[in-house]
Amino acid sequence: MSLIRPEARSEREVRVRAPGKINLSLRVGRREPDGYHPLSTVFQAVSVYEDVVASAGTGLTLTVTGAQADRVPTDETNLAARAARALADHVGLDADVHLHIHKEVPVAGGMAGGSADAAATLLACDTLWRTGLPREVLHELAAALGSDVPFGLLGHTAIGTGRGDQLAPALSRGEYHWAFALQAEGLSTPRVYAAFDDLHPTVRAVPGSDVALLQALRAGDPHAVGLALHNDLQEAALELAPGLAEAIAVAHDAGALGAIVSGSGPTVAALARSRQHALLLAAAFTAAGVADSVLTAVGPVAGARIIQSGHE
């Protein structure tokens, strides 16, 4: 553990932006004795963002605004608060910081909004406190917080293995335009995995790979990417929220190149031909009444990055 002198702290405010994600593919292996499932996934970061502002404070405090803010805890169970605490403990400082989160990513929507908050907080507090940790150390802290947190730091397009936290950048060309059908009621990730276990009691221990998808991304071919979208958890998510099947059908009827439940759901992600087509897909979701709200976005985008740093 490295120790940082208290006088090395900086009285500044730091704003960091981190993206939500979708899983272009998510393959799940048999649950291991520790309760976790081995994964093989292809992440893409999309332009639906969480902003975290870290500023000097006494003790650790947290406030939240934005989409579904009322559903986000503001005590130390919040993943961002846990991230600040983990970094402070690692460097031997008191976690004196106020965190303000402004949300765009849906809560419990399968797009890793909480993980984006944690990734943004690690970078924001590292900058605020001038602790200067290498990216690989931030990655280690991120992985200890949750499987999707390291990707919040990396962004772009990446292959995830292990629990999803072991990352390798994936070659990807071009832009991909998305429309998202959002639900007001989230899905619990542990419940979705439990349903997966019930549906697939004999699934193999090591998940498969995604050669066709990775080739499509390297070629920058959105049509081929749409055909290669895959989610082993989709059947389980549909078991718990059957109405999501209608959202997928609406997307296909409106000409989506592909449509899939994002991660553990319940967000449905539809791949569009263009930015204009993404708007049409969003309108189709709304007109059919299959979404409580809609978003459009583009990917891939960068991971957590500082967008403001200076004296208050």
Side-chain angles (χ1 to χ4, degrees), residues 25-32 37-41 160-164 196 203-210 230 232:
S25 177
L26 178 57
R27 298 183 184 274
V28 182
R30 184 169 59 243
R31 185 175 62 180
E32 297 177 335
H37 296 74
L39 304 177
S40 175
T41 187
T161 54
R163 296 177 184 173
F196 171 83
V203 69
R204 60 184 175 175
V206 180
S209 60
D210 289 286
H230 179 84
D232 278 350

Side-chain angles (χ1 to χ4, degrees), residues 40-203:
S40 175
T41 187
V42 180
F43 292 111
Q44 186 175 95
V46 294
S47 60
V48 183
Y49 295 107
E50 303 280 283
D51 281 4
V52 174
V53 179
S55 54
T58 301
L60 176 54
T61 57
L62 186 146
T63 52
V64 184
T65 57
Q68 300 176 312
D70 59 316
R71 297 179 55 196
V72 179
T74 55
D75 59 14
E76 290 210 25
T77 64
N78 186 292
L79 198 57
R82 289 171 52 200
R85 180 72 64 189
L87 192 150
D89 289 347
H90 181 80
V91 299
L93 289 176
D94 293 327
D96 288 334
V97 63
H98 175 70
L99 302 173
H100 179 74
I101 300 170
H102 184 76
K103 296 193 62 62
E104 284 188 2
V105 180
V107 176
M111 294 183 68
S115 295
D117 294 337
T121 297
L122 288 173
L123 181 56
C125 288
D126 181 59
T127 304
L128 181 75
W129 295 336
R130 294 184 177 177
T131 46
L133 295 179
R135 271 284 172 145
E136 55 267 27
V137 175
L138 291 180
H139 180 102
E140 290 172 6
L141 292 173
L145 291 162
S147 299
D148 290 336
V149 182
F151 182 70
L153 287 171
L154 180 64
H156 301 288
T157 306
I159 302 164
T161 54
R163 296 177 184 173
D165 59 320
Q166 299 172 25
L167 299 176
L171 295 174
S172 179
R173 296 177 57 197
E175 286 187 334
Y176 297 86
H177 297 278
W178 297 93
F180 300 110
L182 311 180
Q183 308 301 325
E185 187 67 32
L187 274 178
S188 159
T189 297
R191 283 190 66 207
V192 174
Y193 273 98
F196 171 83
D197 291 336
D198 290 342
L199 290 166
H200 302 284
T202 60
V203 69

